[in-house]
Amino acid sequence: MYSTTHARAALIRGNPAGGSAHIRAQGVSVTLGGHPVLTDVDVTVSATSRLAIVGENGRGKTTLLHVLAGLLEPDSGTVVRSGSIALAEQALDVGRGETVGSLVELAIADSRRALADLDAETEALAQEHPGAADAYADALERASALDAWDADRRVDVALAGLRACTDRDRELSTLSVGQRYRVRLACVLGARPDLMLLDEPTNHLDAAGLDFLTARLREHPGGFVVVTHDRALLRDVARSFLDLDPSEDGRPRLYAGGYDGWVEGRRADRARWEQDFAHQRTEHERLVQAAADARSRLRTGWRPDKGTGKHQRATRAGGVVQAVNRRQEKLEVHAVTVPEPPLELSWPTVGTRSGRPVVTCSDVTVAGRLPQDVSLELSGGDRLLLTGPNGSGKSTLLAVLAGMLEPTTGHRVQHTGARIAVLSQEVPDWPTGVSAHGLFERHVGAREAAGVRGRTSLSSLGLLDRRALAAPVERMSQGQQRRLHLALCLADEPDLLVLDEPTNHLSPRLVDEMTEALRTTHSAVVVATHDRQLLRDLREWPRLELSVG
Ligand SMILES: Nc1ncnc2c1ncn2[C@@H]1O[C@H](COP(=O)(O)OP(=O)(O)OP(=O)(O)O)[C@@H](O)[C@H]1O
Ligand SMILES: [Mg+2]
């Protein structure tokens, strides 16, 4: 992504406006790196909005949230804002020295200020300053609108609800990525702005955190916009859907009627589009034929018919030429709006034999990170769901399983020749300036140098379109980067695929396709996830539940 202002600056802005808060964006267009990302988008967010912005990875959802929040100026179009607006960004970088407390203070600065003003006005009133009564009434109204007295408690409740670090002196840089996200999300929820813009808020939440977020969104007195791959959250909280995926007329579509309204509306629109396309193609073929017939009549028209005079032949030929031209023109203006076929995931076939041993862990623990000892034996075709609250050691166990972390006690044995690929919770730090294609080539090259061959090409996987493949990775959206990471894992054609929160950042459609592939692949698969829909879809898999402490 391009870099906007520091994440901290984006946290909250604007003065509270209660029920009249809104963001009205009209005709918004944004071009990035020479490519149109948003074209002529209209969207209104009001104090009652429960809006989901959806679309494939890289469609511009984050870009649109940045425009709505005022972090990015659109190339054209207008955005009008009123009210307090908070944005929880998809990416998170923390400044040096920032603490849990400094972020909290920033989030509730309005309330702090309102209370300080109220104190000052109370004092002025006591001293009977002229105009003090009106000023006091204003200050009281502002503090009441913010429920400023309750701001600290609200943040504390949110920190606890999301199991975030409550120690306000703790430096954010010393927290895990997931912990930082939870602190920041708690600040946004606790600040209770008029309008909340949330970009992939569920990525680091466990079951309890997801329930808390869902409840908070349901009872939020203002409006919100959410971008999420979490189908359960979309179903639970979103009322309308702005879909940025390609449509027949190229404009984003707005669907009412909640999740089902979106799914059904999208299906109907797509069916209509395909039908229109089929009609257009039939018409196009008819016009091509008509033009060809006219041309062939022109040729025969020049042939002198017996008994026709030279003058007659020339007149007829002129008419036929005109007919040909007319038909040709008609053909040219007849645009065929071809629906862009969406990419479809094509999971490579892996040659792992069912029951072939891959890796065995016996009584492994990791000091301070995985307290309970775990024994696991995984062979080709095996499945395992790993669950447990934040901090129970799921990612640690996955790292041990994959051979990336030595257990403190216990043993791990990887069977000779067995390949293991790991999709980590966050995308790795890619080198900058390299395209997805370049990275893939490097990855495959390194693997081949180690004597491991594969047949999977990047384009065959259907994960990234041509434009995304050519872009430097740092300019790819978060979801596109995650797709690339998945592509690298699949290129290894692994005997064991280890997936840590695999649905994070991915589009709901890809998640559906991936779920299907995970059920049928010959590889052994271990999935750690909090994704409620994925847990439902894989409910027949054996499950290992870790606990905290
Ligand atoms: N600095 C940049 N230069 C060029 N292109 C960029 C830049 N930043 C982002 N893009 C491109 O803009 C498009 C939209 O990105 P954006 O992050 O808004 O998508 P998104 O819908 O939020 O994706 P995701 O679902 O993966 O989060 C992507 O194709 C991305 O590669
Ligand atoms: Mg995004």
Side-chain angles (χ1 to χ4, degrees):
M1 277 300 288
Y2 52 86
S3 66
T4 55
T5 354
H6 196 276
R8 214 168 163 259
L11 196 63
I12 189 157
R13 51 176 53 193
N15 293 318
S20 63
H22 63 268
I23 308 173
R24 196 168 300 119
Q26 280 180 311
V28 163
S29 297
V30 174
T31 297
L32 294 174
H35 295 283
V37 173
L38 300 173
T39 309
D40 200 13
V41 178
D42 297 335
V43 53
T44 300
V45 186
S46 74
T48 56
S49 289
R50 265 98 182 92
L51 175 69
I53 298 180
V54 288
E56 279 304 313
N57 296 122
R59 280 281 178 246
K61 303 179 296 292
T62 297
T63 308
L64 183 54
L65 286 189
H66 284 172
V67 168
L68 294 178
L71 284 188
L72 181 70
E73 270 301 308
D75 298 313
S76 59
T78 56
V79 187
V80 181
R81 297 177 197 82
S82 162
S84 55
I85 299 167
L87 168 68
E89 287 208 79
Q90 186 175 16
L92 174 63
D93 56 348
V94 295
R96 204 189 294 265
E98 267 181 303
T99 60
V100 172
S102 64
L103 211 58
V104 170
E105 285 309 312
L106 189 79
I108 61 171
D110 276 347
S111 293
R112 289 264 187 275
R113 227 178 356 257
L115 291 180
D117 288 351
L118 187 61
D119 279 350
E121 298 308 339
T122 311
E123 184 66 29
L125 193 66
Q127 294 181 10
E128 298 180 3
H129 288 180
D134 285 348
Y136 172 82
D138 286 350
L140 183 62
E141 197 183 318
R142 243 190 344 269
S144 306
L146 285 165
D147 197 3
W149 299 271
D150 198 35
D152 267 304
R153 192 197 61 86
R154 285 198 309 264
V155 172
D156 284 338
V157 168
L159 286 168
L162 298 178
R163 295 171 195 260
C165 171
T166 49
D167 173 5
R168 299 208 176 183
D169 294 329
R170 183 77 179 260
E171 277 212 27
L172 291 177
S173 60
T174 66
L175 296 176
S176 74
V177 177
Q179 286 171 322
R180 288 180 213 167
Y181 272 97
R182 293 200 293 278
V183 169
R184 205 242 341 241
L185 183 59
C187 287
V188 170
L189 296 179
R192 212 165 63 183
D194 294 328
L195 305 174
M196 293 195 285
L197 311 176
L198 307 174
D199 201 348
E200 291 289 0
T202 67
N203 277 351
H204 299 276
L205 304 186
D206 61 12
L210 287 166
D211 286 346
F212 181 81
L213 173 68
T214 307
R216 267 303 284 108
L217 288 179
R218 280 201 167 134
E219 71 200 19
H220 182 57
F224 64 79
V225 181
V226 65
V227 171
T228 181
H229 68 275
D230 189 320
R231 295 155 297 172
L233 186 73
L234 288 174
R235 205 179 266 288
D236 284 347
V237 303
R239 285 203 212 120
S240 52
F241 284 69
L242 181 68
D243 192 327
L244 300 184
D245 277 342
S247 64
E248 188 166 359
D249 63 5
R251 302 286 307 274
R253 286 268 179 279
L254 185 66
Y255 298 98
Y259 189 84
D260 292 336
W262 168 52
V263 171
E264 179 47 33
R266 189 180 155 98
R267 198 200 52 71
D269 278 348
R270 178 81 195 184
R272 194 171 322 113
W273 187 1
E274 275 166 12
Q275 201 179 39
D276 288 352
F277 174 66
H279 279 146
Q280 282 184 350
R281 207 169 36 189
T282 313
E283 176 65 3
H284 186 82
E285 277 158 12
R286 196 186 64 73
L287 289 172
V288 169
Q289 190 56 49
D293 290 351
R295 265 196 305 276
S296 97
R297 270 203 303 282
L298 177 63
R299 270 197 302 279
T300 51
W302 280 109
R303 218 175 290 139
D305 283 347
K306 262 191 206 147
T308 37
K310 198 178 169 194
H311 176 70
Q312 266 177 306
R313 283 202 314 268
T315 318
R316 210 173 113 205
V320 178
V321 169
Q322 275 174 13
V324 171
N325 287 344
R326 267 200 314 276
R327 299 238 144 91
Q328 195 59 39
E329 276 164 20
K330 263 195 183 167
L331 183 59
E332 277 159 17
V333 297
H334 182 268
V336 176
T337 43
V338 185
E340 185 180 324
L343 285 174
E344 267 187 30
L345 177 66
S346 164
W347 201 268
T349 312
V350 176
T352 312
R353 262 184 302 107
S354 166
R356 176 183 184 240
V358 179
V359 65
T360 309
C361 289
S362 319
D363 298 319
V364 290
T365 65
V366 177
R369 293 174 58 182
L370 178 64
Q372 73 190 92
D373 59 356
V374 177
S375 294
L376 274 180
E377 202 177 322
L378 289 164
S379 305
D382 279 352
R383 301 287 185 264
L384 182 66
L385 260 183
L386 189 57
T387 56
N390 289 135
S392 56
K394 297 185 299 298
S395 297
T396 305
L397 177 59
L398 295 185
V400 170
L401 196 60
M404 290 156 30
L405 183 70
E406 275 296 309
T408 315
T409 60
H411 301 286
R412 169 187 182 274
V413 178
Q414 181 167 340
H415 294 269
T416 322
R419 302 189 210 176
I420 301 180
V422 183
L423 183 76
S424 51
Q425 199 167 355
E426 286 293 299
V427 286
D429 278 332
W430 314 109
T432 53
V434 188
S435 67
H437 225 279
L439 266 180
F440 189 86
E441 293 301 311
R442 278 189 199 182
H443 181 83
V444 170
R447 203 193 49 209
E448 284 181 356
V452 184
R453 303 218 149 263
R455 293 147 299 154
T456 307
S457 73
L458 183 49
S459 52
S460 70
L461 294 169
L463 282 165
L464 292 163
D465 62 25
R466 232 174 317 127
R467 214 184 98 199
L469 289 180
V473 278
E474 68 275 16
R475 287 198 188 167
M476 291 166 90
S477 69
Q478 294 279 310
Q480 286 171 328
Q481 292 190 30
R482 192 125 168 103
R483 282 167 178 254
L484 173 60
H485 194 195
L486 179 61
L488 298 186
C489 292
L490 295 182
D492 290 346
E493 297 172 13
D495 300 303
L496 168 61
L497 184 58
V498 175
L499 302 169
D500 200 351
E501 296 293 352
T503 63
N504 280 3
H505 299 293
L506 297 181
S507 67
R509 205 172 57 83
L510 178 60
V511 170
D512 286 342
E513 291 173 343
M514 181 170 65
T515 309
E516 210 37 57
L518 291 179
R519 288 179 199 277
T520 52
T521 178
H522 293 168
S523 315
V525 184
V526 178
V527 172
T529 189
H530 294 298
D531 187 306
R532 293 163 294 180
Q533 176 78 49
L534 188 63
L535 287 171
R536 277 198 287 275
D537 292 344
L538 303 182
R539 63 185 166 274
E540 73 279 12
W541 285 24
R543 196 189 271 225
L544 173 63
E545 172 106 24
L546 297 182
S547 50
V548 194

